[in-house]
Amino acid sequence: MCGIVGYMGKQQAFPILIKGLQRLEYRGYDSAGVALVNENGDLNVYKTKGKVSDLENFCADKDITGTVGIAHTRWATHGEPSKRNAHPHYSQSKNIALIHNGIIENYLTIKKFLISKGYTFQSETDTEVLCQLIEYMMQEHNLTLYDAVYQALKQVTGAYSIGVIERNNPNTIITSKMSSPLVIGVGREEFLLGSDASAIIEFTKNVIYPKDGQVIRIERGKEIEICCLEDREQKIKPEIQQIQLSLEDIEKGGFDHFMLKEIFEQPKSLSLCMNGRLQREKKEIILNGIQEYGDVFAKARRIIISACGTSWHAGLIGKYLFEALCRIPVEVEVASEFRYRNPVIYPDDVFIAISQSGETADTLAAMELAKKQGAFIYGICNVVGSSVARLTDSGTYTHAGPEIGVASTKAFTTQVCVLVMMALSLAKQLKTIKDEDYHRIVTELCNIEAKIEKIFEKKDEIKEMSKIFTYARNFLYLGRGYNYPVAMEGALKLKEISYIHAEGYPAAEMKHGPIALIDEEMPIVVVAPHYHLYNKILSNVQEVKARKGRIIAIVTEGDTEIKKQTDYYIEIPKTEECLSPILSVIPLQLLSYYIAVAKGRDVDKPRNLAKSVTVE
Ligand code: F6R
């Protein structure tokens, strides 16, 4: 789970590589490095522990010339974050440098073999093993770099996207991928590599998305050459596509952090998500996946939803939606548990995977398992063309736009929005919803963006409130029904960016244990909009109050009862209960953001985290 960048062209590579790395820092930022071939043919590798800015400072007095180079920002898997474990890795003779995103699973076996051939290793990484293996292939079998990479990759198992360059050869980059993302940019007399399009978009919009098992030679002044690991003779013609993203889409646009930008983008991302699907005039939802495969859902024994983290929380809301509106039983599974617990899967199950990045390893493995056992696979995913998207039988993109902040915000609300649209359109097909209920909810969905804008008017109030709570070491978040998963999501947001411990709990379950934690120091966020369990949650609020907990309540505009009981409250507009998570999560996102900022945290790059978790 790292970011890779490469450049070959007429310009100096270093500043382009640094810019690309900065855009990929969401994928990892514990160390970074760059390798460049200068005009004398020297292969210079510079690495540092820390962020890309540290690498830039470190290189200030180094020879950073060269029009070809590769660079890497790391999130440690094998070996601690350190300079020696950072990429690029040199081969033994220092003739080759390699960057890698992924995991070489059989690296220990290969390492043993190479040690028996006299190789020594500078790092604890799996990546260095691949680099040395390439050199071994070149020396032992007298191969070119391209052929050596090909032969080395035949020996490895695991996941990778790689970039390789060599001393005395400023005209070639070799790259390949297997289950890790890779895009190649094709500019005017220049080529770029990136883990995703954001790394290269500033330089070209013409890209190639290589497929798994393709090995690619990029050579100055020549056509890109692609061959397949499965069959060396099979030559693939590069297929150039246009990136749809704009640079503005991926920059901060005046906000202090990507997370804040993405919170405020939610009305727009929800509009994009509903565009062409929610027919606002007719008050209808037309969702292709459900139009086409409604009968598969209709015949389903049950729906299994699987995901990780925030996407799992969205999935939990999906359970409430599909069961209430469509009367289909739903199970929601954390993907990492599902994949290893030998679950019972029937061929008439519908399996829904939810993932922002579309690259989460556990979610992909859970999908593969369900697919193997014959379930129908539906994907809800943000990144177009991602691995999740490719594995599905059908699905719906969230179209939230690029999410760069490590803490997921707009991905969550758009995932819930897709689940709402799916459940409503399915319920209509199955006739499990009355026409008037359908139209009332759809009408409310048309107003959802404007209602989020109303919550944004409270941002200063929330910011002030956040300052009061920076002292806290623990938070409890409570909710019921549709807002129980929102409580969990609020807790996750707080812990990941502020490092304050927080737990999300079903409000009524509190008295079975967590109530023991409550004292006058303890902030308790109660997500309590006015719906059918209002009186129940009011009792839960009173229970907290009786133990002197400091309550922050999320209430519906015009609420009187809960407000009377609470020290602090944030009002949100009234909407349909099944849509309420899309509104109630917004103040929780803002609260955690402002608390983290007040505590001086690095909001967009919280410690130990990375945006896409492509390792298990
Ligand atoms: C939390 C967060 C993570 C992700 C999780 C799944 O803010 O971002 O919990 O939700 O890693 O990622 P995706 O949705 O890309 O599969």
Side-chain angles (χ1 to χ4, degrees), residues 145-319:
L145 182 64
Y146 188 35
D147 289 337
V149 171
Y150 177 88
Q151 291 303 337
L153 291 178
K154 295 278 284 180
Q155 310 294 320
V156 305
T157 55
Y160 51 82
S161 50
I162 57 167
V164 195
I165 56 175
E166 68 181 326
R167 183 178 303 280
N168 291 325
N169 184 356
N171 299 320
T172 307
I173 302 180
I174 310 295
T175 182
S176 181
K177 84 173 280 287
M178 181 69 78
S179 306
S180 286
L182 176 69
V183 57
I184 299 173
V186 185
R188 289 177 65 184
E189 296 182 56
E190 59 185 6
F191 298 97
L192 295 111
L193 295 186
S195 290
D196 71 32
S198 68
I200 61 174
I201 191 173
E202 203 169 328
F203 304 98
T204 181
K205 288 205 158 193
N206 296 326
V207 295
I208 298 166
Y209 289 103
K211 298 205 167 52
D212 281 351
Q214 294 185 340
V215 189
I216 299 136
R217 170 158 53 195
I218 302 169
E219 225 169 312
R220 214 181 278 274
K222 293 198 180 154
E223 286 269 298
I224 286 181
E225 194 178 328
I226 305 179
C227 73
C228 289
L229 273 182
E230 266 182 9
D231 173 7
R232 183 72 170 82
E233 296 315 310
Q234 194 193 346
K235 296 275 185 287
I236 312 286
K237 204 172 151 32
E239 192 190 316
I240 296 181
Q241 306 177 23
Q242 288 273 309
I243 309 177
Q244 299 305 334
L245 292 178
S246 70
L247 188 57
E248 199 203 349
D249 281 338
I250 52 172
E251 293 207 316
K252 277 193 222 157
F255 287 92
D256 288 344
H257 296 96
F258 280 112
M259 180 182 178
L260 192 62
K261 174 183 176 235
E262 287 158 8
I263 291 173
F264 280 91
E265 261 172 14
Q266 287 175 106
K268 182 177 148 208
S269 50
L270 283 161
S271 283
L272 291 171
C273 177
M274 295 188 284
N275 189 23
R277 296 160 173 175
L278 174 68
Q279 312 213 326
R280 290 174 194 258
E281 304 277 290
K282 293 191 197 150
K283 304 280 179 284
E284 277 291 342
I285 291 169
I286 307 287
L287 205 58
N288 286 342
I290 298 296
Q291 295 285 109
E292 213 176 319
Y293 293 101
D295 58 326
V296 178
F297 279 84
K299 287 187 214 130
R301 184 188 292 242
R302 62 187 172 158
I303 294 173
I304 302 170
I305 302 178
S306 193
C308 303
T310 288
S311 300
W312 173 61
H313 296 154
L316 290 170
I317 294 168
K319 177 177 173 75

Side-chain angles (χ1 to χ4, degrees), residues 524-557:
I524 295 120
V525 179
V526 187
V527 192
H530 203 139
Y531 298 110
H532 77 289
L533 291 172
Y534 181 77
N535 285 332
K536 305 274 179 203
I537 203 152
L538 179 59
S539 308
N540 301 138
V541 166
Q542 280 156 341
E543 287 156 9
V544 172
K545 183 86 184 155
R547 273 110 193 141
K548 301 197 167 46
R550 302 186 77 183
I551 301 169
I552 306 162
I554 310 301
V555 294
T556 305
E557 273 169 3

Side-chain angles (χ1 to χ4, degrees), residues 316-344:
L316 290 170
I317 294 168
K319 177 177 173 75
Y320 287 83
L321 285 162
F322 287 116
E323 293 197 340
L325 301 178
C326 312
R327 310 306 298 148
I328 303 175
V330 181
E331 286 171 27
V332 188
E333 301 264 3
V334 170
S336 55
E337 286 299 313
F338 182 78
R339 63 181 289 195
Y340 284 120
R341 105 185 137 62
N342 195 9
V344 178

Side-chain angles (χ1 to χ4, degrees), residues 57-77:
N57 293 337
F58 177 75
C59 291
D61 58 352
K62 307 279 185 300
D63 173 9
I64 48 165
T65 60
T67 56
V68 61
I70 51 178
H72 188 272
T73 178
R74 179 167 186 251
W75 186 81
T77 55

